[in-house]
């Protein structure tokens, strides 16, 4: 059964496929049957540039547990980066603790 769970976000950055890097335009997060991993349903992350055609895609399939761990790691890294940016800009950083869900 397909879940039809899909979220699309604007993405600004770069992704690597093989030896080549390409600029990103969007990120797609979905929950559906694995296409490549020998798993059941997975969280799929697709980083792509729709203007460059189908070869400008970097994809990842993760279990739900791995996706939760990745989300928690992203939350921690973002909180630390925001703290660092506030320190660099002299705004007096306010440390926020982020608890993984």
């Amino acid at each position: 059964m397909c879940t039809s769970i899909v979220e699309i976000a604007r993405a600004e950055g770069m992704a690597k496929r093989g030896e080549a890097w390409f600029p990103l335009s969007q990120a797609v997060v979905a929950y559906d049957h694995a296409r490549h991993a020998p798993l059941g349903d997975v969280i799929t992350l697709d980083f792509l540039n729709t203007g460059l055609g189908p070869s400008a895609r970097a994809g990842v399939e993760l279990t739900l547990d791995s996706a939760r761990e990745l989300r928690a790691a992203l939350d921690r890294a973002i909180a630390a980066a925001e703290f660092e940016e506030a320190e660099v800009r002299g705004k007096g950083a306010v440390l926020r603790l982020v608890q993984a869900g």
Side-chain angles (χ1 to χ4, degrees):
M1 174 172 81
C2 293
T3 65
S4 300
I5 298 171
V6 177
E7 295 289 336
I8 300 172
R10 183 184 66 80
E12 186 176 346
M14 300 289 289
K16 187 174 184 183
R17 179 170 182 160
E19 295 298 316
W21 286 86
F22 61 91
L24 295 175
S25 63
Q26 65 181 219
V28 178
V29 180
Y31 180 69
D32 207 344
H33 304 297
R35 302 288 188 258
H36 302 282
L39 302 166
D41 290 338
V42 293
I43 293 289
T44 301
L45 306 175
D46 280 315
F47 299 96
L48 51 122
N49 186 321
T50 56
L52 296 179
S55 66
R57 174 186 178 267
V60 176
E61 294 180 341
L62 299 170
T63 64
L64 282 176
D65 286 340
S66 293
R68 284 185 197 100
E69 289 181 29
L70 176 59
R71 179 184 63 191
L74 282 167
D75 286 342
R76 291 189 304 271
I78 290 167
E82 288 173 341
F83 181 83
E84 184 72 21
E85 286 293 314
E87 284 289 305
V88 168
R89 293 193 171 96
K91 295 181 179 178
V94 177
L95 183 59
R96 295 183 306 153
L97 296 178
V98 177
Q99 182 175 355

